[in-house]
Amino acid sequence: MLAKLELKLKCEKELTYQMSSLFHGALMELLPEKYADYLHISSLHPYAQHLECREGNWYWVITGLNKEAVKIIIQDTLWKLEYILIKKHDLKVLIVKKNYMETTYKELMDHFYEDDGKRYIQIHFLSPTAFKQNGRYLFYPDLRCVFQSLMNKYDSATAENTMHDEDTLEQICEHAQVIRYDLKSVSFSLEGVKIPSFIGKITIKLHGTDTMANFVNMLFEFGEYSGVGIKTSLGMGYMKIINEGGRK
Amino acid sequence: MLAKLELKLKCEKELTYQMSSLFHGALMELLPEKYADYLHISSLHPYAQHLECREGNWYWVITGLNKEAVKIIIQDTLWKLEYILIKKHDLKVLIVKKNYMETTYKELMDHFYEDDGKRYIQIHFLSPTAFKQNGRYLFYPDLRCVFQSLMNKYDSATAENTMHDEDTLEQICEHAQVIRYDLKSVSFSLEGVKIPSFIGKITIKLHGTDTMANFVNMLFEFGEYSGVGIKTSLGMGYMKIINEGGRK
């Protein structure tokens, strides 16, 4: 099960994208201690969260990537929340509106088997995104890193090692190509450290079989819930598929 | 000798960046036939040209990269020109103002030996830029391609094979790193073919010795005359160093 909860926020001070990690802290304090500890120790990240500004309004968006996370984080903890306290800024943030979306892995998989996956996919990286490769930060959307990250997050959320397969990854990389981009580097501040990252858009063209195109489309659909790259639980790596009306 | 001539233009129709190649055609017709043939056959490009719009005004910028090119192209041919005919668009373009800059390779080299080369260099790619690698277009600023292109253009213009040296190139690449960028893909139309290319800015940080930093600074100073990458004689690859007040 995959779910996304969007909370429209209202507060007296100005919010910023960089405050996502403070909201993560607030969320951890709200969770049952046992589950928070489990998340912390297991290094599993069956959730993601970030702050987002749309038309002058701020939203806190939290996703759950499996049944347990959706139940504990979204339904039990955030569902009835009326405000969040951001202690560091002595800030009380009111929740004035809620929006909830839910889908199943089966539904995602059905797309895989039934649909004609689009051959041109446009991805918008909305919050600072980065990858780690050989211990170094990568602050551009290397396709291998993008696909590998999504596969790993899928396996990590479902606790099945079905996605991440070197041969599949190799094949996707051979048949996917960035044909347009508009990207810029930004930095994401985290506990005084600045993580080099990027935001912006890319358009990917998929060659190869329909099955492969379907698979890549499905990975990105999943990515709209999981985010991509490092520190998605702290507000990085939020992505969306755009250009829905584009060429097939 | 390196020279740059900026001609401020005035005409009744709107000019576009893509018309640079038509201006190249007009230039070739103005040149003495013998020299035009020589340029054509030798595949040497001791010049570059492009159209540029600044504050609503269009400029035709032509550079010469050696004594002969500066004399024949700029001094003998363009110096006294009052208008250019762009036949394809049935367009008479008036030249309303001139600006001329000249420097010597010795002056460039003196910078190399005397100056403290900046450690942070910000480059603005103003016209569509691309590289060719293993027969394929590369439409992002891969640093190896950038440096290799500048070295080759230097050698090609001076007719001395002093710059291009694999070891030096290797060393530069090891010690230079893109730390910021703001880039987007564009396409440059040329005889009906669209060449994938990019425009935008990068900031390069130089590690390593002062000598190497000086060398890279000098290469980019040269690049302001030569342009970088493919088809600089047709209007692509125009670059400028910005952020003069930046950190050393």
Side-chain angles (χ1 to χ4, degrees):
Chain A
M1 188 199 275
L2 295 152
K4 185 181 284 191
L5 178 66
E6 295 188 345
L7 302 173
K8 190 173 175 182
L9 306 176
K10 198 179 165 184
C11 79
E12 285 174 0
K13 287 188 195 163
E14 188 58 32
L15 296 171
T16 68
Y17 289 104
Q18 304 283 4
M19 288 168 75
S20 294
S21 61
L22 301 179
F23 275 74
H24 178 259
L27 174 61
M28 287 303 117
E29 288 194 5
L30 289 168
L31 289 180
E33 203 179 327
K34 218 172 150 184
Y35 189 64
D37 287 347
Y38 162 72
L39 289 179
H40 190 68
I41 293 163
S42 71
S43 84
L44 261 184
H45 292 293
Y47 68 105
Q49 64 82 33
H50 70 277
L51 288 175
E52 196 178 329
C53 188
R54 296 200 299 259
E55 294 164 8
N57 296 307
W58 282 92
Y59 296 82
W60 185 25
V61 183
I62 308 98
T63 62
L65 306 180
N66 61 30
K67 226 171 199 168
E68 190 182 31
V70 172
K71 185 179 183 314
I72 302 179
I73 300 176
I74 295 182
Q75 287 163 1
D76 296 350
T77 307
L78 295 174
W79 198 249
K80 290 175 188 167
L81 206 67
E82 289 171 356
Y83 59 86
I84 313 127
L85 290 175
I86 302 298
K87 289 180 187 166
K88 195 178 169 186
H89 291 234
D90 199 18
L91 207 61
K92 185 175 179 176
V93 185
L94 297 180
I95 294 162
V96 295
K97 206 172 168 182
K98 284 184 181 123
N99 191 17
Y100 180 75
M101 282 154 276
E102 194 185 284
T103 190
T104 59
Y105 282 93
K106 190 183 173 309
E107 174 73 10
L108 272 192
M109 279 295 175
D110 284 350
H111 284 197
F112 177 31
Y113 290 113
E114 290 165 16
D115 283 14
D116 264 351
K118 281 184 301 189
R119 291 293 181 162
Y120 292 85
I121 308 180
Q122 200 179 357
I123 301 294
H124 193 168
F125 300 95
L126 288 129
S127 73
T129 305
F131 301 93
K132 226 168 181 176
Q133 194 183 46
N134 305 324
R136 299 179 69 170
Y137 289 118
L138 220 67
F139 68 139
Y140 55 89
D142 176 87
L143 285 188
R144 172 176 292 272
C145 290
V146 169
F147 294 133
Q148 188 163 39
S149 166
L150 292 174
M151 286 170 149
N152 284 338
K153 282 178 195 297
Y154 193 103
D155 286 346
S156 165
T158 57
E160 290 173 26
N161 290 315
T162 50
M163 278 291 168
H164 189 201
D165 169 66
E166 274 302 318
D167 291 343
T168 311
L169 181 58
E170 197 59 48
Q171 269 192 22
I172 299 180
C173 291
E174 263 174 40
H175 294 93
Q177 183 193 1
V178 174
I179 55 160
R180 272 192 292 277
Y181 65 85
D182 186 353
L183 296 165
K184 70 173 185 178
S185 59
V186 291
S187 61
F188 188 80
S189 295
L190 206 58
E191 291 162 11
V193 178
K194 286 187 174 178
I195 299 176
S197 45
F198 65 92
I199 54 172
K201 296 171 188 172
I202 59 173
T203 303
I204 297 167
K205 183 180 177 179
L206 299 171
H207 314 271
T209 62
D210 284 349
T211 310
M212 216 202 56
N214 285 346
F215 182 71
V216 172
N217 275 273
M218 192 204 61
L219 272 183
F220 282 121
E221 273 185 69
F222 170 72
E224 289 194 310
Y225 288 89
S226 68
V228 65
I230 60 169
K231 312 233 180 265
T232 46
S233 59
L234 296 175
M236 293 184 73
Y238 178 58
M239 57 145 280
K240 266 193 171 166
I241 303 167
I242 42 175
N243 196 23
E244 277 297 316
R247 284 179 288 178
K248 278 234 169 184
Chain B
M1 188 199 274
L2 296 152
K4 184 180 285 191
L5 178 66
E6 294 189 345
L7 302 173
K8 191 175 176 181
L9 306 176
K10 198 180 165 182
C11 79
E12 285 173 2
K13 287 187 196 164
E14 188 58 31
L15 295 171
T16 68
Y17 290 103
Q18 303 284 4
M19 288 169 75
S20 295
S21 61
L22 302 178
F23 276 74
H24 178 260
L27 173 61
M28 287 303 117
E29 288 193 6
L30 289 168
L31 288 181
E33 204 179 326
K34 219 172 146 184
Y35 190 64
D37 286 349
Y38 163 73
L39 289 178
H40 190 68
I41 294 165
S42 71
S43 84
L44 260 184
H45 293 294
Y47 69 103
Q49 64 82 31
H50 71 276
L51 289 174
E52 196 176 328
C53 188
R54 297 203 296 261
E55 293 164 9
N57 297 306
W58 283 92
Y59 295 82
W60 185 24
V61 183
I62 309 98
T63 61
L65 305 180
N66 63 28
K67 226 172 198 165
E68 190 183 31
V70 173
K71 186 179 182 313
I72 302 179
I73 299 176
I74 295 183
Q75 286 162 4
D76 296 351
T77 307
L78 295 174
W79 198 249
K80 290 174 188 168
L81 205 67
E82 290 171 356
Y83 60 88
I84 313 126
L85 289 175
I86 302 298
K87 289 178 186 165
K88 195 178 168 187
H89 291 236
D90 199 19
L91 206 62
K92 185 175 178 175
V93 184
L94 296 180
I95 293 162
V96 294
K97 207 173 167 183
K98 285 182 181 125
N99 191 16
Y100 180 76
M101 284 154 273
E102 194 186 286
T103 189
T104 59
Y105 281 94
K106 189 184 172 309
E107 175 73 12
L108 273 192
M109 279 295 177
D110 284 351
H111 284 197
F112 176 32
Y113 289 115
E114 290 164 17
D115 282 14
D116 263 351
K118 281 184 299 189
R119 292 293 182 162
Y120 292 84
I121 308 179
Q122 200 180 357
I123 301 294
H124 193 168
F125 301 94
L126 287 129
S127 73
T129 304
F131 301 93
K132 226 166 182 179
Q133 195 184 45
N134 306 323
R136 299 181 70 170
Y137 290 118
L138 219 68
F139 69 138
Y140 54 87
D142 175 87
L143 285 189
R144 173 176 290 271
C145 291
V146 170
F147 294 133
Q148 188 162 39
S149 167
L150 291 174
M151 285 170 151
N152 284 339
K153 282 178 196 294
Y154 192 102
D155 286 346
S156 165
T158 57
E160 291 171 27
N161 291 316
T162 50
M163 277 291 167
H164 189 200
D165 170 66
E166 274 301 319
D167 290 344
T168 311
L169 180 59
E170 198 58 49
Q171 268 192 24
I172 300 179
C173 291
E174 263 174 40
H175 294 94
Q177 183 192 0
V178 174
I179 56 159
R180 274 191 292 276
Y181 65 84
D182 187 353
L183 296 164
K184 69 173 186 180
S185 60
V186 292
S187 61
F188 188 80
S189 295
L190 206 59
E191 293 161 8
V193 179
K194 285 187 175 177
I195 299 176
S197 46
F198 65 92
I199 54 172
K201 297 172 188 171
I202 60 172
T203 302
I204 298 167
K205 182 179 178 181
L206 299 170
H207 314 270
T209 63
D210 283 349
T211 310
M212 217 203 55
N214 286 345
F215 182 71
V216 172
N217 275 273
M218 193 205 62
L219 272 184
F220 281 121
E221 273 186 68
F222 170 73
E224 289 195 309
Y225 288 89
S226 67
V228 65
I230 60 169
K231 313 233 182 266
T232 46
S233 59
L234 297 175
M236 293 183 73
Y238 178 59
M239 56 144 280
K240 265 191 173 171
I241 303 167
I242 43 176
N243 195 23
E244 278 296 317
R247 282 180 290 178
K248 278 237 167 185

PDB file of all heavy atoms in Angstrom, chain B residues 46-63:
ATOM      1  N   PRO B  46      40.645  29.854 -37.616  1.00  0.00           N
ATOM      2  CA  PRO B  46      41.312  30.913 -36.849  1.00  0.00           C
ATOM      3  C   PRO B  46      40.383  32.111 -36.634  1.00  0.00           C
ATOM      4  O   PRO B  46      40.843  33.246 -36.619  1.00  0.00           O
ATOM      5  CB  PRO B  46      42.500  31.277 -37.744  1.00  0.00           C
ATOM      6  CG  PRO B  46      41.990  31.032 -39.126  1.00  0.00           C
ATOM      7  CD  PRO B  46      40.992  29.914 -39.039  1.00  0.00           C
ATOM      8  N   TYR B  47      39.083  31.841 -36.493  1.00  0.00           N
ATOM      9  CA  TYR B  47      38.113  32.917 -36.294  1.00  0.00           C
ATOM     10  C   TYR B  47      36.861  32.290 -35.678  1.00  0.00           C
ATOM     11  O   TYR B  47      36.684  31.053 -35.697  1.00  0.00           O
ATOM     12  CB  TYR B  47      37.761  33.600 -37.625  1.00  0.00           C
ATOM     13  CG  TYR B  47      36.976  32.708 -38.554  1.00  0.00           C
ATOM     14  CD1 TYR B  47      35.594  32.876 -38.719  1.00  0.00           C
ATOM     15  CD2 TYR B  47      37.593  31.651 -39.226  1.00  0.00           C
ATOM     16  CE1 TYR B  47      34.874  32.028 -39.538  1.00  0.00           C
ATOM     17  CE2 TYR B  47      36.880  30.802 -40.038  1.00  0.00           C
ATOM     18  CZ  TYR B  47      35.514  30.994 -40.194  1.00  0.00           C
ATOM     19  OH  TYR B  47      34.812  30.130 -40.988  1.00  0.00           O
ATOM     20  N   ALA B  48      36.007  33.133 -35.151  1.00  0.00           N
ATOM     21  CA  ALA B  48      34.695  32.684 -34.681  1.00  0.00           C
ATOM     22  C   ALA B  48      33.744  33.853 -34.863  1.00  0.00           C
ATOM     23  O   ALA B  48      34.186  35.010 -34.976  1.00  0.00           O
ATOM     24  CB  ALA B  48      34.766  32.269 -33.211  1.00  0.00           C
ATOM     25  N   GLN B  49      32.464  33.595 -34.926  1.00  0.00           N
ATOM     26  CA  GLN B  49      31.498  34.696 -35.049  1.00  0.00           C
ATOM     27  C   GLN B  49      30.157  34.234 -34.503  1.00  0.00           C
ATOM     28  O   GLN B  49      29.857  33.039 -34.510  1.00  0.00           O
ATOM     29  CB  GLN B  49      31.407  35.199 -36.494  1.00  0.00           C
ATOM     30  CG  GLN B  49      30.881  34.204 -37.528  1.00  0.00           C
ATOM     31  CD  GLN B  49      29.374  34.092 -37.588  1.00  0.00           C
ATOM     32  OE1 GLN B  49      28.661  35.062 -37.332  1.00  0.00           O
ATOM     33  NE2 GLN B  49      28.873  32.899 -37.869  1.00  0.00           N
ATOM     34  N   HIS B  50      29.394  35.180 -33.996  1.00  0.00           N
ATOM     35  CA  HIS B  50      28.045  34.860 -33.520  1.00  0.00           C
ATOM     36  C   HIS B  50      27.218  36.140 -33.407  1.00  0.00           C
ATOM     37  O   HIS B  50      27.774  37.237 -33.387  1.00  0.00           O
ATOM     38  CB  HIS B  50      28.117  34.163 -32.160  1.00  0.00           C
ATOM     39  CG  HIS B  50      28.530  35.081 -31.059  1.00  0.00           C
ATOM     40  ND1 HIS B  50      29.858  35.363 -30.801  1.00  0.00           N
ATOM     41  CD2 HIS B  50      27.814  35.813 -30.171  1.00  0.00           C
ATOM     42  CE1 HIS B  50      29.931  36.221 -29.794  1.00  0.00           C
ATOM     43  NE2 HIS B  50      28.712  36.513 -29.394  1.00  0.00           N
ATOM     44  N   LEU B  51      25.920  35.962 -33.314  1.00  0.00           N
ATOM     45  CA  LEU B  51      25.021  37.091 -33.051  1.00  0.00           C
ATOM     46  C   LEU B  51      24.704  37.125 -31.566  1.00  0.00           C
ATOM     47  O   LEU B  51      24.593  36.080 -30.925  1.00  0.00           O
ATOM     48  CB  LEU B  51      23.730  36.944 -33.850  1.00  0.00           C
ATOM     49  CG  LEU B  51      23.839  37.158 -35.357  1.00  0.00           C
ATOM     50  CD1 LEU B  51      22.515  36.821 -36.020  1.00  0.00           C
ATOM     51  CD2 LEU B  51      24.232  38.602 -35.683  1.00  0.00           C
ATOM     52  N   GLU B  52      24.543  38.333 -31.066  1.00  0.00           N
ATOM     53  CA  GLU B  52      24.326  38.475 -29.630  1.00  0.00           C
ATOM     54  C   GLU B  52      23.339  39.610 -29.394  1.00  0.00           C
ATOM     55  O   GLU B  52      23.424  40.654 -30.032  1.00  0.00           O
ATOM     56  CB  GLU B  52      25.681  38.819 -28.998  1.00  0.00           C
ATOM     57  CG  GLU B  52      25.759  38.651 -27.518  1.00  0.00           C
ATOM     58  CD  GLU B  52      27.174  38.937 -27.005  1.00  0.00           C
ATOM     59  OE1 GLU B  52      28.148  38.669 -27.730  1.00  0.00           O
ATOM     60  OE2 GLU B  52      27.277  39.473 -25.898  1.00  0.00           O
ATOM     61  N   CYS B  53      22.409  39.428 -28.463  1.00  0.00           N
ATOM     62  CA  CYS B  53      21.455  40.490 -28.139  1.00  0.00           C
ATOM     63  C   CYS B  53      21.739  40.995 -26.727  1.00  0.00           C
ATOM     64  O   CYS B  53      21.764  40.218 -25.778  1.00  0.00           O
ATOM     65  CB  CYS B  53      20.024  39.950 -28.229  1.00  0.00           C
ATOM     66  SG  CYS B  53      18.785  41.242 -28.077  1.00  0.00           S
ATOM     67  N   ARG B  54      22.008  42.301 -26.623  1.00  0.00           N
ATOM     68  CA  ARG B  54      22.259  42.897 -25.303  1.00  0.00           C
ATOM     69  C   ARG B  54      21.370  44.112 -25.132  1.00  0.00           C
ATOM     70  O   ARG B  54      21.430  45.045 -25.935  1.00  0.00           O
ATOM     71  CB  ARG B  54      23.729  43.323 -25.171  1.00  0.00           C
ATOM     72  CG  ARG B  54      24.716  42.173 -25.252  1.00  0.00           C
ATOM     73  CD  ARG B  54      26.057  42.517 -24.583  1.00  0.00           C
ATOM     74  NE  ARG B  54      26.748  43.605 -25.262  1.00  0.00           N
ATOM     75  CZ  ARG B  54      27.741  43.443 -26.134  1.00  0.00           C
ATOM     76  NH1 ARG B  54      28.163  42.232 -26.442  1.00  0.00           N
ATOM     77  NH2 ARG B  54      28.316  44.478 -26.704  1.00  0.00           N
ATOM     78  N   GLU B  55      20.561  44.080 -24.114  1.00  0.00           N
ATOM     79  CA  GLU B  55      19.634  45.182 -23.824  1.00  0.00           C
ATOM     80  C   GLU B  55      18.830  45.603 -25.054  1.00  0.00           C
ATOM     81  O   GLU B  55      18.719  46.793 -25.372  1.00  0.00           O
ATOM     82  CB  GLU B  55      20.409  46.374 -23.251  1.00  0.00           C
ATOM     83  CG  GLU B  55      20.995  46.060 -21.872  1.00  0.00           C
ATOM     84  CD  GLU B  55      22.067  47.067 -21.458  1.00  0.00           C
ATOM     85  OE1 GLU B  55      22.212  48.077 -22.170  1.00  0.00           O
ATOM     86  OE2 GLU B  55      22.743  46.815 -20.453  1.00  0.00           O
ATOM     87  N   GLY B  56      18.314  44.612 -25.744  1.00  0.00           N
ATOM     88  CA  GLY B  56      17.449  44.892 -26.884  1.00  0.00           C
ATOM     89  C   GLY B  56      18.172  45.218 -28.180  1.00  0.00           C
ATOM     90  O   GLY B  56      17.534  45.375 -29.230  1.00  0.00           O
ATOM     91  N   ASN B  57      19.495  45.328 -28.134  1.00  0.00           N
ATOM     92  CA  ASN B  57      20.252  45.615 -29.354  1.00  0.00           C
ATOM     93  C   ASN B  57      21.023  44.385 -29.814  1.00  0.00           C
ATOM     94  O   ASN B  57      21.585  43.653 -29.000  1.00  0.00           O
ATOM     95  CB  ASN B  57      21.254  46.756 -29.098  1.00  0.00           C
ATOM     96  CG  ASN B  57      20.550  48.044 -28.745  1.00  0.00           C
ATOM     97  OD1 ASN B  57      19.682  48.507 -29.478  1.00  0.00           O
ATOM     98  ND2 ASN B  57      20.905  48.607 -27.598  1.00  0.00           N
ATOM     99  N   TRP B  58      21.045  44.207 -31.131  1.00  0.00           N
ATOM    100  CA  TRP B  58      21.776  43.071 -31.684  1.00  0.00           C
ATOM    101  C   TRP B  58      23.180  43.466 -32.095  1.00  0.00           C
ATOM    102  O   TRP B  58      23.396  44.545 -32.655  1.00  0.00           O
ATOM    103  CB  TRP B  58      21.018  42.492 -32.880  1.00  0.00           C
ATOM    104  CG  TRP B  58      19.863  41.661 -32.440  1.00  0.00           C
ATOM    105  CD1 TRP B  58      18.573  42.067 -32.259  1.00  0.00           C
ATOM    106  CD2 TRP B  58      19.891  40.275 -32.094  1.00  0.00           C
ATOM    107  NE1 TRP B  58      17.795  41.025 -31.827  1.00  0.00           N
ATOM    108  CE2 TRP B  58      18.579  39.908 -31.724  1.00  0.00           C
ATOM    109  CE3 TRP B  58      20.888  39.294 -32.058  1.00  0.00           C
ATOM    110  CZ2 TRP B  58      18.248  38.611 -31.324  1.00  0.00           C
ATOM    111  CZ3 TRP B  58      20.555  38.004 -31.667  1.00  0.00           C
ATOM    112  CH2 TRP B  58      19.244  37.671 -31.303  1.00  0.00           C
ATOM    113  N   TYR B  59      24.115  42.553 -31.825  1.00  0.00           N
ATOM    114  CA  TYR B  59      25.514  42.761 -32.202  1.00  0.00           C
ATOM    115  C   TYR B  59      25.984  41.550 -33.001  1.00  0.00           C
ATOM    116  O   TYR B  59      25.602  40.414 -32.705  1.00  0.00           O
ATOM    117  CB  TYR B  59      26.397  42.898 -30.955  1.00  0.00           C
ATOM    118  CG  TYR B  59      26.090  44.123 -30.133  1.00  0.00           C
ATOM    119  CD1 TYR B  59      25.036  44.122 -29.217  1.00  0.00           C
ATOM    120  CD2 TYR B  59      26.843  45.283 -30.264  1.00  0.00           C
ATOM    121  CE1 TYR B  59      24.734  45.248 -28.466  1.00  0.00           C
ATOM    122  CE2 TYR B  59      26.558  46.416 -29.515  1.00  0.00           C
ATOM    123  CZ  TYR B  59      25.503  46.388 -28.619  1.00  0.00           C
ATOM    124  OH  TYR B  59      25.207  47.505 -27.876  1.00  0.00           O
ATOM    125  N   TRP B  60      26.828  41.844 -33.979  1.00  0.00           N
ATOM    126  CA  TRP B  60      27.514  40.761 -34.680  1.00  0.00           C
ATOM    127  C   TRP B  60      28.953  40.801 -34.180  1.00  0.00           C
ATOM    128  O   TRP B  60      29.627  41.836 -34.327  1.00  0.00           O
ATOM    129  CB  TRP B  60      27.458  40.982 -36.189  1.00  0.00           C
ATOM    130  CG  TRP B  60      28.035  39.840 -37.002  1.00  0.00           C
ATOM    131  CD1 TRP B  60      28.154  38.540 -36.631  1.00  0.00           C
ATOM    132  CD2 TRP B  60      28.567  39.923 -38.335  1.00  0.00           C
ATOM    133  NE1 TRP B  60      28.707  37.794 -37.638  1.00  0.00           N
ATOM    134  CE2 TRP B  60      28.976  38.623 -38.704  1.00  0.00           C
ATOM    135  CE3 TRP B  60      28.727  40.967 -39.255  1.00  0.00           C
ATOM    136  CZ2 TRP B  60      29.539  38.329 -39.941  1.00  0.00           C
ATOM    137  CZ3 TRP B  60      29.285  40.671 -40.496  1.00  0.00           C
ATOM    138  CH2 TRP B  60      29.685  39.366 -40.829  1.00  0.00           C
ATOM    139  N   VAL B  61      29.386  39.719 -33.554  1.00  0.00           N
ATOM    140  CA  VAL B  61      30.714  39.690 -32.951  1.00  0.00           C
ATOM    141  C   VAL B  61      31.601  38.713 -33.732  1.00  0.00           C
ATOM    142  O   VAL B  61      31.245  37.543 -33.894  1.00  0.00           O
ATOM    143  CB  VAL B  61      30.639  39.267 -31.463  1.00  0.00           C
ATOM    144  CG1 VAL B  61      32.017  39.304 -30.824  1.00  0.00           C
ATOM    145  CG2 VAL B  61      29.673  40.162 -30.703  1.00  0.00           C
ATOM    146  N   ILE B  62      32.737  39.223 -34.226  1.00  0.00           N
ATOM    147  CA  ILE B  62      33.652  38.395 -35.012  1.00  0.00           C
ATOM    148  C   ILE B  62      35.027  38.447 -34.340  1.00  0.00           C
ATOM    149  O   ILE B  62      35.498  39.528 -33.983  1.00  0.00           O
ATOM    150  CB  ILE B  62      33.781  38.908 -36.454  1.00  0.00           C
ATOM    151  CG1 ILE B  62      32.403  39.113 -37.061  1.00  0.00           C
ATOM    152  CG2 ILE B  62      34.627  37.952 -37.301  1.00  0.00           C
ATOM    153  CD1 ILE B  62      31.912  40.539 -37.026  1.00  0.00           C
ATOM    154  N   THR B  63      35.636  37.293 -34.168  1.00  0.00           N
ATOM    155  CA  THR B  63      36.979  37.288 -33.585  1.00  0.00           C
ATOM    156  C   THR B  63      37.975  36.708 -34.579  1.00  0.00           C
ATOM    157  O   THR B  63      37.627  35.851 -35.402  1.00  0.00           O
ATOM    158  CB  THR B  63      37.039  36.445 -32.294  1.00  0.00           C
ATOM    159  OG1 THR B  63      36.686  35.098 -32.605  1.00  0.00           O
ATOM    160  CG2 THR B  63      36.096  36.983 -31.241  1.00  0.00           C
TER     161      THR B  63
END
